[in-house]
Amino acid sequence: MARLWMLSAVLAAVAGVAFASEVVQLTADNFEHDTQVATGSTTGNWFVMFHAPWCGHCKRLKPTWEELAEELKGEVNVASVDVPANRALGSRFRIKGFPTLLYFSHGKMYKFSGSRKLETLKDYALGGFKKMEAEPVPSTPSMFDEVRETVTGVVDDALRDIKKGKYTSPRVLILALPIVFLLFTFIVIFAVPAPPRRPAVAATGTAEGKSDEE
């Protein structure tokens, strides 16, 4: 039994090594640090797939993307970004559809268009991108941009839940709380009548004192 367990563990370890992905997973936290695309520094060229988990085209491209990363290992960094989980990056690079393939080289950005076959992608990554029009890499978002993107994401998710009839989902409740608070504040300020003022009491002590002395 112990030998069988050890054999299973060895096979699992070998399988893990064999199927280890060469695709770099980028997030809002590590994107600029790892790629340095805004400065065009020394981390090399990057070919990045911006995708969504529910996107059928993205799922079909994934095996090719994995194979591309294997073939370009040591020459071009192949990466992916889950846009719904990293909305700030989607906003920064103006991602409107999935998958969107962007190539970054020396502070410039190139948008891939064409066949998504392995050889086509490989030729593009190894120099074909130079035939395309380059765009400047958008600057890193400010704190205000990140907050705005977070709020926009919460609102979008809540509206999506409302359309699906999920009125009590956490995202809907998060959206509803500030609205309820504002309504309550409005009612307190404008709808609740103010308590009546007490009439001012005249100070007569001094006058009476003077009258006694007289």
Side-chain angles (χ1 to χ4, degrees):
M1 187 68 178
R3 291 181 178 179
L4 182 60
W5 182 87
M6 291 179 63
L7 178 61
S8 300
V10 170
L11 290 175
V14 171
V17 173
F19 293 103
S21 175
E22 294 296 335
V23 177
V24 181
Q25 301 300 320
L26 296 174
T27 66
D29 293 328
N30 68 8
F31 189 94
E32 196 59 40
H33 177 271
D34 289 1
T35 66
Q36 300 180 32
V37 296
T39 60
S41 295
T42 57
T43 61
N45 293 349
W46 288 79
F47 203 2
V48 184
M49 175 173 67
F50 292 82
H51 67 94
W54 42 261
C55 168
H57 294 295
C58 304
K59 293 176 182 178
R60 287 190 288 273
L61 179 59
K62 186 176 180 180
T64 304
W65 205 247
E66 294 282 352
E67 196 173 349
L68 180 68
E70 288 283 350
E71 296 208 8
L72 294 179
K73 184 177 180 180
E75 297 181 85
V76 176
N77 300 291
V78 178
S80 67
V81 173
D82 182 342
V83 175
N86 300 275
R87 294 180 184 275
L89 292 177
S91 176
R92 176 184 177 186
F93 294 107
R94 301 182 293 276
I95 305 301
K96 302 298 182 184
F98 303 113
T100 294
L101 309 181
L102 296 181
Y103 194 91
F104 301 93
S105 178
H106 300 289
K108 299 292 183 181
M109 181 176 74
Y110 304 81
K111 186 173 182 179
F112 174 85
S113 61
S115 170
R116 295 171 186 157
K117 293 182 179 180
L118 178 62
E119 288 304 318
T120 304
L121 293 168
K122 185 177 178 181
D123 290 343
Y124 185 89
L126 294 178
F129 68 91
K130 296 177 182 178
K131 301 175 183 178
M132 307 298 291
E133 184 178 355
E135 300 178 38
V137 175
S139 59
T140 54
S142 64
M143 182 67 71
F144 173 78
D145 293 331
E146 293 181 359
V147 171
R148 181 184 61 185
E149 192 60 33
T150 299
V151 172
T152 301
V154 170
V155 173
D156 289 344
D157 289 340
L159 292 177
R160 192 175 297 113
D161 284 348
I162 291 173
K163 289 180 180 179
K164 294 178 180 179
K166 300 178 180 179
Y167 302 111
T168 58
S169 72
R171 290 178 292 200
V172 173
L173 294 177
I174 290 174
L175 179 63
L177 282 175
I179 297 175
V180 172
F181 175 78
L182 289 174
L183 288 173
F184 177 78
T185 303
F186 178 85
I187 292 172
V188 170
I189 295 176
F190 297 103
V192 177
R197 293 184 178 182
R198 292 184 178 181
V201 178
T204 58
T206 304
E208 291 177 354
K210 288 184 179 180
S211 177
D212 292 339
E213 288 177 2
E214 294 174 355

